[in-house]
Amino acid sequence: QKEVEQNSGPLSVPEGAIASLNCTYSDRVSQSFFWYRQYSGKSPELIMSIYSNGDKEDGRFTAQLNKASQYVSLLIRDSQPSDSATYLCAVNRNTGFQKLVFGTGTRLLVSP
Amino acid sequence: DVKVTQSSRYLVKRTGEKVFLECVQDMDHENMFWYRQDPGLGLRLIYFSYDVKMKEKGDIPEGYSVSREKKERFSLILESASTNQTSMYLCASIGTTYEQYFGPGTRLTVT
């Protein structure tokens, strides 16, 4: 079992729709959760962090965390073609070092 | 804003050459990382450093070494470049809340 799992996609949504990206993790003691956006040929960019159960909203983005079920999700409202990218989920690894484990990412395609 | 910079965006080297990739961060972060990213394989951790002169192997350290002489600078060294080290190399640093920031990446081609 991978430590952080994501569906590779592509996830295709029409412009204006809600895109829902999901991530599950295996380490029950993980406390910090992140979403990164990566455009083709570019480096990952941090877009959301979430540390406690529930929802966290930032503009069109909402991160949702459910520690009991060990999943974290990212909702993108009013999706735009510029949101087309790969979204990486990351979780802290509980090794005593400050280190993250990354999923392999979900590719999102938003069609005009 | 956190800024992580890398010495080169694109680099072309020949097989057997020694290659230095440098990374600098300006947020006084203690922990720094080197990854490589290849299509279909995701981000793979090569080495990380949790303090000056301290380093730990990541998941794929073979063929690489690192150096951290100053807190803000973390270097990745390919002692003898090989074609299978052609990749995108990403440096990152992490803060106390685990927020990790990446540099722009270096696309290395070894011919």
Side-chain angles (χ1 to χ4, degrees):
Chain A
Q1 182 188 7
K2 291 182 181 178
E3 290 184 73
V4 179
E5 295 208 52
Q6 296 180 255
N7 189 317
S8 60
L11 172 66
S12 296
V13 299
E15 184 175 357
I18 296 175
S20 178
L21 304 161
N22 299 310
C23 169
T24 58
Y25 60 94
S26 61
D27 187 352
R28 283 196 168 273
V29 300
S30 295
Q31 296 294 323
S32 308
F33 307 87
F34 305 91
W35 284 99
Y36 288 80
R37 178 178 61 201
Q38 186 174 25
Y39 292 114
S40 180
K42 303 293 187 182
S43 63
E45 172 194 11
L46 179 64
I47 55 171
M48 289 289 287
S49 57
I50 187 166
Y51 303 95
S52 54
N53 276 329
D55 294 0
K56 179 182 178 183
E57 190 174 315
D58 184 0
R60 295 186 297 112
F61 298 101
T62 299
Q64 298 176 317
L65 175 60
N66 183 323
K67 290 185 180 180
S69 300
Q70 294 178 243
Y71 82 79
V72 56
S73 60
L74 179 70
L75 301 178
I76 306 174
R77 288 182 301 281
D78 188 26
S79 296
Q80 301 297 308
S82 59
D83 295 325
S84 297
T86 296
Y87 290 80
L88 303 174
C89 172
V91 175
N92 73 291
R93 181 181 269 173
N94 191 41
T95 61
F97 296 113
Q98 287 174 318
K99 202 160 63 160
L100 298 181
V101 181
F102 287 85
T104 52
T106 298
R107 188 170 167 222
L108 173 66
L109 297 175
V110 181
S111 53
Chain B
D1 279 354
V2 175
K3 182 164 278 187
V4 181
T5 57
Q6 295 184 228
S7 50
S8 305
R9 290 301 307 274
Y10 300 95
L11 210 52
V12 179
K13 294 292 181 181
R14 292 194 181 275
T15 301
E17 279 193 84
K18 191 168 186 176
V19 182
F20 293 88
L21 303 180
E22 296 198 324
C23 173
V24 177
Q25 51 95 4
D26 67 356
M27 281 302 292
D28 202 35
H29 288 166
E30 292 183 347
N31 295 269
M32 297 185 72
F33 305 83
W34 276 106
Y35 297 87
R36 64 179 282 178
Q37 189 175 35
D38 302 286
L41 296 178
L43 283 166
R44 292 185 289 168
L45 181 64
I46 304 171
Y47 266 98
F48 68 100
S49 169
Y50 54 93
D51 203 349
V52 174
K53 297 192 185 296
M54 306 304 288
K55 61 186 180 185
E56 288 284 334
K57 293 180 180 179
D59 301 316
I60 52 161
E62 296 80 17
Y64 303 94
S65 62
V66 290
S67 171
R68 191 155 180 213
E69 297 295 319
K70 293 185 177 181
K71 191 173 186 179
E72 68 272 17
R73 189 179 297 270
F74 190 33
S75 300
L76 179 70
I77 302 152
L78 288 67
E79 294 288 344
S80 177
S82 63
T83 55
N84 62 12
Q85 293 179 309
T86 291
S87 186
M88 169 73 98
Y89 288 89
L90 292 160
C91 175
S93 70
I94 197 167
T96 53
T97 55
Y98 284 90
E99 290 191 350
Q100 182 165 305
Y101 298 93
F102 288 86
T106 296
R107 186 163 294 281
L108 172 67
T109 301
V110 182
T111 60

